[in-house]
Amino acid sequence: MRRLGRWGPVIVVGLLVLAIAFPFYWAVVSSLTPEARLFEAPSLFPRQLVFDHYRALFDERNFWIPIRNSLIVAGNTTAFCVLVGSLCAYALARLQFRWKRPILAFILAVTMFPQISIVSPLYLLLRALGLINTYPGLVLPYLTFAMPLTVWLLVSFFRQLPAELEEAAMADGASRLRAFWEIILPLSLPGLATTAILTLVYCWNEFLFALSFTLGPERQTVPVAIALFRGQYQVPWGQILAAAVVATAPVALLVLLFQRKIVQGLTAGTVKG
Amino acid sequence: MASVTLENVGKTYPNGQVAARDMDLAIQDGELVVLVGPSGCGKSTTLRMVAGLETPTAGRILIGGKDVTATPPQDRDIAMVFQTYALYPHKTVRDNLAFGLRMRRLAADEIGRRVREAARTLGLEELLDRKPAQLSGGQRQRVALGRAIVREPKAFLLDEPLSNLDAKLRLQTRAELARIHKQLGATMLYVTHDQEEAMTLGDRVAVLEDGRLQQVASPAEVYRRPANVFVAGFIGSPAMNLFRGLLQTDDEGPRFESSGCTLTSGVGTIPGRSGPAILGVRPPDIELCDRESADLSARVEVIELLGSAILVHLRATAAEEQTIRAVGPEDWEVAEDEVIGVRFNRERLHFFDGDGGRRLN
Ligand SMILES: Nc1ncnc2c1ncn2[C@@H]1O[C@H](COP(=O)(O)OP(=O)(O)OP(=O)(O)O)[C@@H](O)[C@H]1O
Ligand SMILES: [Mg+2]
């Protein structure tokens, strides 16, 4: 019994890690297996590593282009969200004005529409603005869901910082904006990092808007490009998996790099004056 | 430095809580006024209104004769020490001290000079490169003070700046504050709920209860001539003894009667007063005497040693509910359970109106 007590958690965590990590591992292994061997009896360990799929991805399919597009769209959306969203969240968290609660509720309500239901109106809107198949044509719709997320996360984060810190800064002669910039923002870095990564991942993986508002490969993002790999008669599984690995790796890397900050951000509230 | 004036200032919080009522207070240039009162009476609110962190719902606030009621905090040129320190956690002690000077765009070498000077005054030189989290409570307190004294503001606002220090450090820092006040000729509004601090530090003491100023006067005046029953009971430790009774004036002059005691002689002149009244006697103004000439006979309940003096808890023999505190020299001849006679020092009697509590004599 005591044995079980000690090893129980380890086993549970181990199984969880296995369940989560295995698909990714399998994708990596398969992406390194020659096309012809993909449908043979599967093997847990690659017998031979070939980079054919990756070569094809970048040489034939110009996979750099969707990666570039995704970086530009997700990066800009995130940067814009954090910049504007943090100011907005700060106002909602700290300033006194009328209709604060309704505004917060409204911001949340905006995200409640199923994406599919606003694709057509958004399409018409973007077409009228001449933004179909452009970067702004993706960044703007992405803001509709990324911005509320940012604002909500940051509002709760800012609320946890003691108000006396900015009051002290203002008594010291700083304007509210200066106090925000010099005191609140540096103390909110964990929260900002968390928010930025969540937003980035969300935008990186977004499919429906990207598919609907782009016309050709020169503006398509990674998920759209991968979806369009499949030809009329065959599905290039090897390349798809290679693309999936290429698309996931940077995000996973980012999360690992900022892991400590994110955990801090999610467990914030322990900032002491 | 500059004067600070509150004119009919009132504050009602949005939830209906009234924290300040019709407050009038004029702090002279270079004066240290201590704001005292029980918890929740509105001391912090008053300070925050002077700082500009809270907007008064009535009246005006003037700094240096200029109306600043609508001026944001950063333009009021005041320095505030927060009860919770509110140090910037991500900045070193040096940067904490320099922040206010940077905001006022002082030259870098001037900032360096002033920071060093303040650090020397407060004994922080060794700590300049640490972050607040790496400091002890007392050290943080001194940094919070330092952040105020590096500036040369129009006024200092200090919200219970010594409340988190141990007894020794508190005395030490209190003396340091008094010295800074004299040296800089600084205008200071100092909040505390510790009345001893108020008595020792203040040029004047402002006693606050329930958002209303009860008395603003020198510490000696507040102690010797409290303006009403509340001030009488709040200032002084151990607290003043209060006897509820009846004041009557007949041919033989005024006399005071209560269930615990009766005073016929030396009540003094209380012009044309009779009716319910409250008699106040401070514990050190009570003397032992034989039982024939006593104002009051009482049983000794507990004797506490206060160091060089003793505090005696008495219960009046004529009225069981009346307790009395008396302070006397160490060699006072009293023993627990003994019944003794006591006299009140006629020079130091305080009479208050039985209804409003206003001072009568
Ligand atoms: N933001 C606020 N909203 C509503 N009521 C408040 C607010 N801040 C303070 N109060 C109330 O106003 C009254 C005065 O509060 P204040 O903080 O000024 O008291 P204080 O004299 O500083 O007390 P303490 O000695 O405990 O610090 C209290 O009853 C308090 O509950
Ligand atoms: Mg307070």
Side-chain angles (χ1 to χ4, degrees):
Chain A
M1 265 326 272
R2 272 184 58 195
R3 274 253 170 98
L4 194 70
R6 183 175 316 161
W7 291 105
V10 176
I11 292 167
V12 170
V13 170
L15 283 175
L16 263 174
V17 169
L18 201 68
I20 292 167
F22 183 75
F24 191 66
Y25 170 77
W26 194 241
V28 173
V29 169
S30 306
S31 73
L32 294 169
T33 310
E35 193 79 31
R37 293 263 284 280
L38 267 177
F39 294 97
E40 287 176 9
S43 142
L44 265 184
F45 303 100
R47 266 172 250 138
Q48 167 200 7
L49 297 181
V50 291
F51 289 91
D52 288 356
H53 299 316
Y54 288 90
R55 216 167 288 132
L57 203 58
F58 289 107
D59 290 350
E60 293 161 24
R61 294 201 183 264
N62 283 327
F63 199 60
W64 290 118
I65 295 178
I67 287 184
R68 183 199 64 195
N69 293 341
S70 272
L71 278 178
I72 290 178
V73 171
N76 274 305
T77 310
T78 306
F80 199 78
C81 266
V82 171
L83 273 177
V84 177
S86 63
L87 281 170
C88 177
Y90 177 75
L92 286 166
R94 280 290 204 269
L95 302 188
Q96 305 284 340
F97 55 90
R98 276 159 74 86
W99 309 120
K100 218 159 80 168
R101 279 178 177 283
I103 288 174
L104 257 172
F106 180 72
I107 289 176
L108 190 66
V110 169
T111 60
M112 301 261 182
F113 296 104
Q115 262 192 325
I116 190 78
S117 70
I118 56 171
V119 163
S120 318
L122 268 179
Y123 184 86
L124 296 178
L125 197 66
L126 291 172
R127 196 178 59 183
L129 293 171
L131 290 178
I132 294 295
N133 208 30
T134 63
Y135 291 133
L138 281 184
V139 172
L140 283 177
Y142 281 10
L143 287 176
T144 60
F145 58 78
M147 192 64 103
L149 176 81
T150 314
V151 170
W152 266 78
L153 280 173
L154 287 179
V155 163
S156 58
F157 197 84
F158 288 152
R159 275 192 182 149
Q160 290 167 335
L161 293 175
E164 285 198 338
L165 286 179
E166 321 140 60
E167 291 175 351
M170 287 193 286
D172 262 349
S175 65
R176 202 170 254 289
L177 209 60
R178 192 80 193 263
F180 174 68
W181 181 253
E182 292 235 14
I183 308 297
I184 300 305
L185 272 193
L187 289 176
S188 309
L189 278 182
L192 292 175
T194 312
T195 316
I197 286 182
L198 287 178
T199 309
L200 195 75
V201 170
Y202 210 110
C203 297
W204 187 263
N205 291 331
E206 203 285 334
F207 177 68
L208 186 60
F209 284 177
L211 178 69
S212 314
F213 304 147
T214 55
L215 299 176
E218 74 282 3
R219 286 292 179 266
Q220 273 159 1
T221 58
V222 170
V224 179
I226 295 176
L228 297 181
F229 276 3
R230 93 177 38 218
Q232 201 170 357
Y233 301 108
Q234 58 155 348
V235 181
W237 285 114
Q239 287 179 26
I240 289 181
L241 288 170
V245 170
V246 170
T248 317
V251 176
L253 207 68
L254 210 65
V255 172
L256 282 180
L257 272 177
F258 285 95
Q259 187 198 27
R260 288 230 343 248
K261 287 259 179 247
I262 294 180
V263 171
Q264 273 176 27
L266 294 176
T267 59
T270 47
V271 185
K272 286 212 187 85
Chain B
M1 296 293 154
S3 62
V4 174
T5 312
L6 281 76
E7 282 181 9
N8 309 102
V9 169
K11 173 73 184 179
T12 308
Y13 280 108
N15 65 356
Q17 173 75 42
V18 181
R21 304 164 205 264
D22 201 21
M23 221 181 258
D24 270 311
L25 181 62
I27 305 164
Q28 310 302 321
D29 191 350
E31 192 183 22
L32 195 164
V33 170
V34 175
L35 201 54
V36 282
S39 187
C41 69
K43 305 181 296 289
S44 298
T45 304
T46 308
L47 214 61
R48 291 170 56 81
M49 286 193 290
V50 176
L53 301 171
E54 219 67 74
T55 318
T57 44
R60 303 198 302 160
I61 292 171
L62 296 92
I63 297 178
K66 201 171 132 268
D67 188 342
V68 294
T69 315
T71 310
Q74 64 266 28
D75 300 329
R76 292 193 182 193
D77 196 15
I78 46 85
M80 179 143 172
V81 175
F82 290 78
Q83 195 174 344
T84 53
Y85 314 143
L87 301 180
Y88 313 127
H90 58 301
K91 291 182 187 285
T92 60
V93 169
R94 186 191 308 280
D95 291 340
N96 263 281
L97 295 181
F99 185 77
L101 301 175
R102 264 178 53 227
M103 292 302 114
R104 310 224 169 255
R105 297 173 199 286
L106 262 70
D109 52 342
E110 173 70 5
I111 294 181
R113 194 184 60 74
R114 287 220 214 159
V115 167
R116 273 193 306 279
E117 201 173 301
R120 202 179 50 240
T121 309
L122 294 169
L124 293 171
E125 289 139 310
E126 315 285 299
L127 310 173
L128 281 176
D129 292 311
R130 298 218 202 149
K131 296 269 179 72
Q134 301 162 320
L135 301 177
S136 75
Q139 292 166 335
R140 287 181 209 182
Q141 182 67 72
R142 279 180 280 155
V143 176
L145 270 176
R147 204 166 55 178
I149 66 165
V150 287
R151 307 245 321 270
E152 280 161 15
K154 294 213 174 88
F156 288 98
L157 307 171
L158 305 111
D159 196 349
E160 309 203 16
L162 309 183
S163 59
N164 292 322
L165 301 189
D166 66 42
K168 180 158 170 256
L169 205 53
R170 181 184 304 219
L171 277 181
Q172 209 173 308
T173 316
R174 190 163 86 193
E176 189 62 34
L177 264 178
R179 199 181 61 71
I180 290 167
H181 165 58
K182 293 227 167 57
Q183 190 178 320
L184 302 181
T187 311
M188 290 184 172
L189 183 52
Y190 184 108
V191 165
T192 177
H193 63 257
D194 176 345
Q195 46 102 1
E196 188 195 317
E197 221 166 274
M199 302 301 281
T200 48
L201 262 183
D203 292 328
R204 279 192 300 159
V205 175
V207 186
L208 196 61
E209 191 211 6
D210 194 20
R212 210 183 286 280
L213 279 175
Q214 305 293 318
Q215 185 173 12
V216 185
S218 71
E221 172 88 359
V222 168
Y223 184 80
R224 292 201 197 113
R225 289 183 56 80
N228 58 36
V229 173
F230 174 78
V231 176
F234 187 75
I235 297 287
S237 170
M240 186 186 275
N241 298 294
L242 297 170
F243 302 89
R244 264 183 189 282
L246 211 58
L247 197 60
Q248 283 167 322
T249 309
D250 51 27
D251 305 343
E252 291 147 53
R255 43 193 266 126
F256 177 80
E257 270 174 42
S258 85
S259 51
C261 65
T262 303
L263 267 63
T264 47
S265 68
V267 171
T269 46
I270 299 162
R273 263 312 290 214
S274 53
I278 297 167
L279 165 66
V281 185
R282 292 206 182 276
D285 300 335
I286 294 180
E287 297 152 10
L288 283 182
C289 69
D290 53 62
R291 295 190 46 195
E292 284 76 64
S293 56
D295 292 326
L296 177 78
S297 77
R299 178 180 300 281
V300 178
E301 291 204 313
V302 181
I303 301 175
E304 285 176 45
L305 191 61
L306 296 181
S308 59
I310 53 170
L311 167 61
V312 184
H313 294 267
L314 303 163
R315 192 172 289 277
T317 46
E320 275 295 303
E321 75 287 352
Q322 182 75 57
T323 60
I324 301 122
R325 291 167 297 276
V327 170
E330 225 176 342
D331 53 3
W332 243 20
E333 288 177 2
V334 288
E336 284 179 12
D337 274 341
E338 190 189 8
V339 174
I340 59 168
V342 296
R343 265 184 71 79
F344 304 150
N345 184 339
R346 290 293 186 271
E347 309 289 303
R348 307 221 175 139
L349 296 182
H350 308 265
F351 283 102
F352 305 99
D353 192 333
D355 297 326
R358 215 167 33 82
R359 185 181 188 84
L360 296 174
N361 61 335

